[in-house]
Amino acid sequence: MTPILELRNIDYSYHTLDGETKALSNISFTLTKGEFVSVVGPSGCGKSTLLSLIDGLMQPESGEMLLKGQPLTENSDQIGYMLQHDHLFEWRSIWRNVLLGAEISRRLTPETKRHAKAMLEQYGLKQFARSKPSELSGGMRQRAALIRTLLMEPELLLLDEPFSALDYQTRLTVSDDIGQIIRRSGKTALLVTHDLSEAVSLADRVIILTRRPARIARIIPVTFDLADDTPLARRNAPEFKTYFNEIWKELNRDEQTEPGPKPADKS
Ligand code: ADP
């Protein structure tokens, strides 16, 4: 089966007046349909850069990126992006926020509206359709943002620390909740997070990046022997700690053995 996403030997450097900063080095991996993959790595290693490249906001220096076997093009409407901030507009109701993407891309049809209505109902936001974003909790706002993204029917969802603006308690329930919605929707997802527990509780595989320039240190498949494999059940399963420690160890190994930045590397 053709992978949804394939990255082959991706390199990327930022060029500024201060010089060159190599952010990504020889990144290769594939995502198959319906897979949920987390990306973890030290702060500033290149995680967001990776997502920006996949989203077509920037072009790789070298290497290939394929979406369903075709070279990735700029602004592909097959890719949905969810960020740390939900970017809901206060001057629009939740209903009109949810429809915004479809409106902008001129895909607002009676069918899209029906779909939006069904999703608001399915995800418990029906009675908030006329509310302003500020009247919703952080978790409900993230649900609304996710519905807006899913309504565009993307093949691939890119999630860049989407829960990090939430407080710890909310974050636990919202990440579990959003993770399950994405699973049920059958979408393929790539989640960047610095929260190892979140990475393990949500993913089928965890990609561990080294310090900048990010290389792939390891890709760890994550499987749980659970009848009901939910993020919450995973957090309570005995394997959870094993995976957490394995990733933690790998990240720290990198800290101890990686050389410092090259002299040309000025950032
Ligand atoms: P992460 O998401 O892992 O925290 P980023 O992908 O945001 O890291 O950034 C990786 C590195 O690239 C950073 O350490 C930073 O030095 C550099 N970088 C990021 N954005 C820019 C930019 N616009 N110009 C120059 N350097 C940048």
Side-chain angles (χ1 to χ4, degrees):
M1 200 167 73
T2 313
I4 292 292
L5 179 73
E6 184 167 8
L7 265 61
R8 294 183 190 151
N9 313 108
I10 297 297
D11 284 319
Y12 187 81
S13 301
Y14 289 97
H15 297 272
T16 63
L17 290 176
D18 288 337
E20 184 187 14
T21 304
K22 191 157 177 78
L24 302 175
S25 173
N26 200 26
I27 302 284
S28 301
F29 65 87
T30 56
L31 296 185
T32 53
K33 192 166 172 55
E35 230 188 346
F36 198 124
V37 172
S38 300
V39 178
V40 298
S43 175
C45 76
K47 301 183 290 298
S48 298
T49 304
L50 180 66
L51 291 196
S52 299
L53 287 173
I54 297 170
D55 198 38
L57 297 171
M58 307 183 304
Q59 297 303 311
E61 208 164 78
S62 58
E64 268 186 298
M65 297 195 295
L66 305 173
L67 188 70
K68 293 206 291 186
Q70 300 298 317
L72 253 175
T73 50
E74 215 176 313
N75 299 328
S76 168
D77 57 9
Q78 296 186 71
I79 296 180
Y81 215 141
M82 226 179 126
L83 301 157
Q84 185 176 346
H85 297 287
D86 51 51
H87 294 285
L88 298 176
F89 294 109
E90 187 55 25
W91 41 273
R92 287 189 148 225
S93 64
I94 290 300
W95 171 246
R96 295 197 57 226
N97 264 293
V98 159
L99 296 180
L100 184 64
E103 218 174 285
I104 291 172
S105 60
R106 297 172 192 270
R107 282 160 63 183
L108 191 56
T109 61
E111 178 54 30
T112 325
K113 287 186 181 173
R114 266 196 301 276
H115 194 185
K117 215 167 157 183
M119 278 203 277
L120 284 173
E121 182 156 12
Q122 188 180 0
Y123 301 132
L125 291 179
K126 188 181 163 195
Q127 69 270 41
F128 297 96
R130 288 171 190 275
S131 306
K132 297 286 179 206
S134 60
E135 295 171 67
L136 272 64
S137 69
M140 291 197 290
R141 291 172 62 116
Q142 279 298 37
R143 276 184 183 213
L146 180 63
I147 293 172
R148 182 182 57 196
T149 308
L150 290 178
L151 200 59
M152 305 303 294
E153 307 205 316
E155 280 291 348
L156 172 65
L157 276 172
L158 302 177
L159 308 159
D160 195 355
E161 302 266 12
F163 316 117
S164 56
L166 304 170
D167 66 76
Y168 182 71
Q169 293 297 331
T170 313
R171 186 183 174 125
L172 278 183
T173 47
V174 174
S175 63
D176 288 7
D177 174 48
I178 297 281
Q180 291 210 65
I181 293 175
I182 293 172
R183 283 236 180 251
R184 270 185 253 130
S185 73
K187 297 289 172 206
T188 311
L190 190 63
L191 165 78
V192 158
T193 179
H194 65 265
D195 183 333
L196 304 191
S197 301
E198 195 171 280
V200 174
S201 70
L202 293 170
D204 299 307
R205 285 187 293 151
V206 177
I207 297 177
I208 307 172
L209 299 179
T210 64
R211 284 192 344 186
R212 180 168 59 86
R215 289 174 289 101
I216 294 184
R218 261 180 86 188
I219 301 183
I220 297 186
V222 179
T223 51
F224 281 80
D225 189 16
L226 289 165
D228 188 20
D229 188 3
T230 63
L232 191 63
R234 282 186 172 198
R235 287 178 194 267
N236 293 317
E239 303 98 306
F240 189 82
K241 214 171 163 185
T242 314
Y243 284 124
F244 185 100
N245 289 338
E246 206 174 332
I247 298 168
W248 177 255
K249 219 165 94 189
E250 186 66 49
L251 286 170
N252 281 301
R253 192 165 72 89
D254 179 47
E255 280 296 306
Q256 282 152 22
T257 55
E258 276 290 291
K262 287 186 293 195
D265 211 342
K266 298 231 180 84
S267 80

